[in-house]
Amino acid sequence: MKYRSTRGQVSGQSFEDVVLEGLAADGGLYIPEQIPQLPADWQTKWAQLSFVELATELIYLFVGSDLTRDQLSQLVSKSYSTFDTPQVAPLVPLSDMHVLELFHGPTFAFKDVALQFLGNLFEFFLQRRNSRGEASRLTVVGATSGDTGSAAIYGLRGKDKVDVFILHPKDRVSAIQEAQMTTVLDENVHNVAVQGTFDDCQDIVKHLFGQKEFRQKYSLGAVNSINWARILAQITYYFSSFFALRRQYPEAIPRFVVPSGNFGDILAGFYAQSLGLPVERLVVATNSNDILDRFLKSGTYEKNAEEGVLATPSPAMDILVSSNFERFLWYLARDHEVSEDITDAAEREQKAGEIIAQWMDKLKTQGSFSVSPKALHAARKIFGSGRCSDSQTLDTIAKYYAQEPSYLLDPHTAVGVYVAENTRDSDAHIICLSTAHPAKFSDAVLKAVNDNGHQLDFGSILPPPLVGILEKPRRCFDCENSPDKVAAHIINKVKL
């Protein structure tokens, strides 16, 4: 298995290379050169596998010769031993749909599914390189709107030969999200509060990766969902939830509704479907930062430049530009934008990379680009979408807390549930991905419940690891919105 960049200038990379590099040298994102084939009997052969066993089967299709099956199995088993249930991602009923609970990892967010695995991958590949006499270390640099940061830190804390720098927008993450990051005092963990938005943090990260000399000297690695291994690990729970649903409804074909910010979570669903998983539809659920919903309605991918990033009760989705969308756009360009006169597969793939590079340049310089009607029609065949306002988010939390049996949604999952309710057009078997534990968003959850005539004892839902976290000692570096200032901080902290 080899990998190429979405922008066409890099190809033939190994799985190990793309994991450690994160972002391609041409600024693109890595995608597999081919979508592998599932075993012909996968629906029966894999139906009773545990989550760990299923993850091993799926991930092994993409690693080439870089990991043996036994090595991969050990890494996967180690990664999910930190979860509070052997199911890892249990499927639970909620009214007339199902919720896929992805918050049973150490930081109570869906990012743990990928980042526990990615942290162990980093450590394995670095140890192997050092054992060969290749002096290798990694400086991981990531941006977070809340959950990626703590999940990355918990996945990498104390790892040998790894420093991790996590940039978060100052005062734009929840109190518990900030505490989960900044109370980790391991020497290799460095938190940076940037005076700006998540998009500013993400732009800084991309800028640093674009500085060739700096990137090579400090061996930069990525933990954001620009790293292919993040997407790969998340494919598993689409398959596990499919099997869980089929145990109840043997002929069911699920519709997945996914709260979406950076597009990584639902992109994993796209790859699951591309592998052959039966999927009725993938539905993008956005908050007021709705670039994805607007694209799927208009065919124009446009920054909301006048208003900028809007602060909402679901801060992990407060994003102006969805970085991972570039991966899906590559397939859209190859299949529906490249001239039909070009029949050679390699030439079509190269042309797709050129189109993506042009689109991304337009987005950067003009703030938008548009796809053809043919491409938009193709995108709509795969994805539906919907938008949820702040008040609708809070009302949805209150509604499901008040019903019997009571269920407490976090604000991101509430966005998904609201969109699921309002895009239902059939007797679809809906699975809404639940991306975080409600305790991580106390202000929004308490406001939703208490303002609607109910009383919530927040202490009763707080997981034991979060009890007292707001009072723990912290370490964080406050920084201007400047790539140079962040680079200087990295240079000061990393000992080569």
Side-chain angles (χ1 to χ4, degrees):
M1 173 62 70
K2 298 296 182 183
Y3 292 83
R4 64 160 48 86
S5 167
T6 51
R7 301 193 189 179
Q9 301 302 307
V10 182
S11 61
Q13 300 294 97
S14 70
F15 178 70
E16 179 176 337
D17 288 337
V18 304
V19 168
L20 293 177
E21 290 178 20
L23 191 69
D26 63 358
L29 307 184
Y30 283 118
I31 56 175
E33 292 191 353
Q34 301 90 27
I35 301 296
Q37 293 288 317
L38 296 179
D41 59 349
W42 70 270
Q43 289 201 41
T44 53
K45 187 177 181 181
W46 292 355
Q48 302 303 322
L49 295 184
S50 68
F51 191 94
V52 167
E53 292 167 336
L54 187 57
T56 301
E57 294 293 337
L58 284 163
I59 296 171
Y60 191 65
L61 298 171
F62 290 88
V63 301
S65 59
D66 288 337
L67 291 168
T68 67
R69 184 182 288 273
D70 284 345
Q71 289 169 334
L72 176 61
S73 179
Q74 290 174 24
L75 286 170
V76 170
S77 181
K78 179 180 179 181
S79 300
Y80 299 128
S81 66
T82 60
F83 283 62
D84 65 16
T85 170
Q87 294 174 273
V88 179
L91 187 69
V92 301
L94 180 68
S95 189
D96 56 355
M97 67 182 80
H98 286 81
V99 167
L100 182 61
E101 292 186 343
L102 299 173
F103 50 75
H104 289 274
T107 72
F108 308 101
F110 82 96
K111 312 287 180 82
D112 288 322
V113 177
L115 284 164
Q116 286 291 301
F117 176 64
L118 182 57
N120 288 321
L121 268 183
F122 281 153
E123 184 176 53
F124 178 87
F125 286 143
L126 289 174
Q127 287 178 348
R128 185 164 69 182
R129 289 188 175 191
N130 281 295
S131 71
R132 295 170 179 164
E134 306 169 26
S136 297
R137 64 173 299 112
L138 197 64
T139 304
V140 172
V141 183
T144 185
S145 53
D147 287 333
T148 291
S150 57
I153 287 167
Y154 278 62
L156 294 169
R157 63 187 302 182
K159 298 288 188 189
D160 190 32
K161 307 293 185 183
V162 178
D163 278 283
V164 54
F165 291 80
I166 296 297
L167 284 59
H168 71 266
K170 185 174 176 62
D171 299 327
R172 282 179 173 257
V173 299
S174 78
I176 285 182
Q177 284 177 316
E178 181 180 346
Q180 282 186 298
M181 294 185 284
T182 59
T183 58
V184 178
L185 305 180
D186 299 61
E187 289 187 5
N188 73 322
V189 172
H190 312 276
N191 281 286
V192 180
V194 174
Q195 296 167 13
T197 67
F198 168 75
D199 288 84
D200 294 325
C201 296
Q202 192 160 245
D203 286 345
I204 290 172
V205 171
K206 290 179 178 178
H207 177 87
L208 295 178
F209 272 87
Q211 304 302 301
K212 184 176 180 181
E213 183 178 342
F214 182 83
R215 176 178 180 170
Q216 291 178 344
K217 182 175 181 179
Y218 289 92
S219 301
L220 298 192
V223 288
N224 285 90
S225 51
I226 58 174
N227 193 308
W228 165 250
R230 284 273 308 269
I231 309 302
L232 177 57
Q234 291 170 190
I235 293 172
T236 301
Y237 49 70
Y238 283 90
F239 279 82
S240 69
S241 60
F242 167 80
F243 286 123
L245 184 66
R246 280 284 177 100
R247 291 181 197 116
Q248 301 176 53
Y249 306 96
E251 303 299 322
I253 298 178
R255 172 184 297 184
F256 290 99
V257 181
V258 186
S260 300
N262 227 8
F263 199 73
D265 207 4
I266 199 165
L267 181 70
F270 167 73
Y271 278 108
Q273 186 179 37
S274 300
L275 281 166
L277 183 73
V279 175
E280 187 262 344
R281 198 158 181 74
L282 295 165
V283 179
V284 175
T286 75
N287 62 18
S288 300
N289 298 287
D290 58 354
I291 186 171
L292 295 169
D293 182 48
R294 285 185 283 115
F295 171 83
L296 288 164
K297 287 179 168 57
S298 69
T300 296
Y301 192 69
E302 183 176 22
K303 295 180 183 179
N304 190 0
E306 288 188 10
E307 294 184 326
V309 179
L310 302 173
T312 76
S314 47
M317 295 156 61
D318 291 351
I319 291 172
L320 200 62
V321 174
S322 301
S323 291
N324 259 297
F325 198 50
E326 181 173 334
R327 284 186 164 111
F328 173 68
L329 287 170
W330 185 90
Y331 296 99
L332 212 57
R334 181 195 64 180
D335 296 340
H336 304 288
E337 297 283 359
V338 176
S339 171
E340 293 179 359
D341 295 336
I342 298 175
T343 57
D344 179 71
E347 188 176 356
R348 292 189 68 83
E349 290 162 353
Q350 185 60 38
K351 289 291 184 183
E354 294 171 9
I355 291 170
I356 292 299
Q358 292 167 6
W359 282 346
M360 292 303 112
D361 183 64
K362 274 190 174 182
L363 184 65
K364 183 177 181 179
T365 58
Q366 301 176 27
S368 70
F369 64 86
S370 296
V371 302
S372 67
K374 179 185 175 185
L376 177 59
H377 177 72
R380 287 173 172 170
K381 289 181 70 173
I382 300 169
F383 294 103
S385 69
R387 179 184 186 275
C388 179
S389 70
D390 293 0
S391 61
Q392 290 162 342
T393 301
L394 299 179
D395 287 346
T396 302
I397 294 171
K399 171 184 173 180
Y400 283 90
Y401 180 74
Q403 74 174 19
E404 291 294 338
S406 178
Y407 190 91
L408 189 60
L409 299 164
D410 91 282
H412 306 79
T413 308
V415 169
V417 169
Y418 176 84
V419 170
E421 291 176 335
N422 287 275
T423 56
R424 181 188 292 276
D425 54 10
S426 67
D427 295 327
H429 291 273
I430 293 175
I431 296 177
C432 182
L433 274 58
S434 181
T435 56
H437 193 287
K440 298 189 72 169
F441 303 95
S442 56
D443 290 347
V445 169
L446 287 170
K447 178 176 176 56
V449 173
N450 295 343
D451 285 2
N452 280 275
H454 302 280
Q455 290 297 316
L456 173 64
D457 175 11
F458 196 71
S460 67
I461 66 161
L462 201 62
L466 297 183
V467 174
I469 195 170
L470 297 177
E471 286 73 50
K472 289 184 177 180
R474 306 184 186 204
R475 188 177 70 238
C476 185
F477 175 68
D478 282 2
C479 187
E480 297 174 25
N481 180 11
S482 162
D484 291 341
K485 296 289 187 182
V486 174
H489 183 60
I490 292 172
I491 292 168
N492 182 51
K493 293 295 182 181
V494 175
K495 310 303 179 187
L496 298 177

